[in-house]
Amino acid sequence: MKSIIRNSGLLLIIILFSANINAQKKIELMLIVKTDSITQNNIAETCRFEGQPADTNIEDFVTEVSLNDEVKWKADQAENNDAKVKLVKFQHDSGTKLFNKDSIQMKNGRIKGDIVNGNANEEEKYSLVIRVKDSNNDWQEYTIDPKLKLTQ
C-alpha cells in the first residue's frame, strides 16, 4: 500500500512538473500615448510601452515571447493627457507570423492572441493601430511598429 501511495505521489509530481514546463505565460503590453501631442511625425517620441528602456525607440522595441504565451495589448493616455486613445488592431507586417494570423482585432478594449507558430530567434514585425481623439473630437489613426521575438 505504501508503495502505491509513493508511486502515485511521484506520478503526480511528474505530471505537475510537465504541466509547469509547458505553462502559458501571460504577457501584458501597455501602450502609453501622449495623446495631447501625438502627430504622424512624432510617434516615436509620444508612444512607449510600460517598462520599455528609456534608450529604446518604440520601433526597435522587441518583446520576447515563447510558444503558447498569451500576449495582450492595452492602451492608455499618458499622465496629465486628456485626449482618449483606443486600440484598433494588430497587423502582421513581416517575418514569422507568430500568431499564424494576418491581423487581430480589438475586443473589449484590448487585443489578445496566443503564440502558436515559429522557431527560436524568429521575429515578427507588426503594426499596432491606435486611434486618438483630437481637439475637434475626431478620431485620428496612428501606427506603431515594434517586434516580437520567439525565444524558445
Side-chain angles (χ1 to χ4, degrees):
M1 183 69 165
K2 287 182 182 178
S3 176
I4 292 171
I5 293 171
R6 192 173 323 130
N7 288 341
S8 296
L10 182 58
L11 181 61
L12 180 61
I13 289 171
I14 291 171
I15 290 170
L16 290 174
F17 181 73
S18 298
N20 195 31
I21 287 174
N22 296 318
Q24 178 185 56
K25 283 189 308 187
K26 294 185 181 211
I27 298 170
E28 292 195 14
L29 297 170
M30 176 62 80
L31 180 66
I32 305 297
V33 180
K34 293 179 182 175
T35 57
D36 291 350
S37 59
I38 190 171
T39 69
Q40 294 294 343
N41 299 321
N42 69 359
I43 291 171
E45 293 82 31
T46 55
C47 298
R48 301 198 65 69
F49 285 107
E50 274 186 351
Q52 177 181 333
D55 62 342
T56 303
N57 185 309
I58 197 158
E59 288 133 6
D60 300 323
F61 184 65
V62 178
T63 301
E64 293 186 346
V65 296
S66 299
L67 282 174
N68 301 316
D69 283 356
E70 177 185 81
V71 182
K72 281 187 210 175
W73 288 268
K74 295 180 180 179
D76 200 3
Q77 70 261 29
E79 196 171 312
N80 299 320
N81 280 242
D82 295 322
K84 299 293 181 202
V85 61
K86 65 180 178 179
L87 295 172
V88 177
K89 70 178 176 177
F90 165 97
Q91 180 68 46
H92 168 79
D93 287 340
S94 64
T96 302
K97 289 183 188 176
L98 298 177
F99 298 99
N100 211 20
K101 296 180 180 183
D102 285 327
S103 67
I104 305 170
Q105 299 297 317
M106 183 277 298
K107 185 176 180 181
N108 298 325
R110 64 179 180 209
I111 297 171
K112 179 173 86 166
D114 293 334
I115 304 295
V116 296
N117 191 36
N119 298 305
N121 297 314
E122 290 183 331
E123 287 188 353
E124 176 171 20
K125 185 170 177 134
Y126 67 95
S127 296
L128 196 59
V129 180
I130 64 170
R131 288 191 182 133
V132 175
K133 194 175 267 193
D134 66 17
S135 58
N136 296 325
N137 275 338
D138 295 323
W139 289 98
Q140 301 299 318
E141 198 164 276
Y142 303 96
T143 302
I144 292 92
D145 59 347
K147 300 175 188 92
L148 296 171
K149 181 177 182 178
L150 194 64
T151 59
Q152 310 180 16

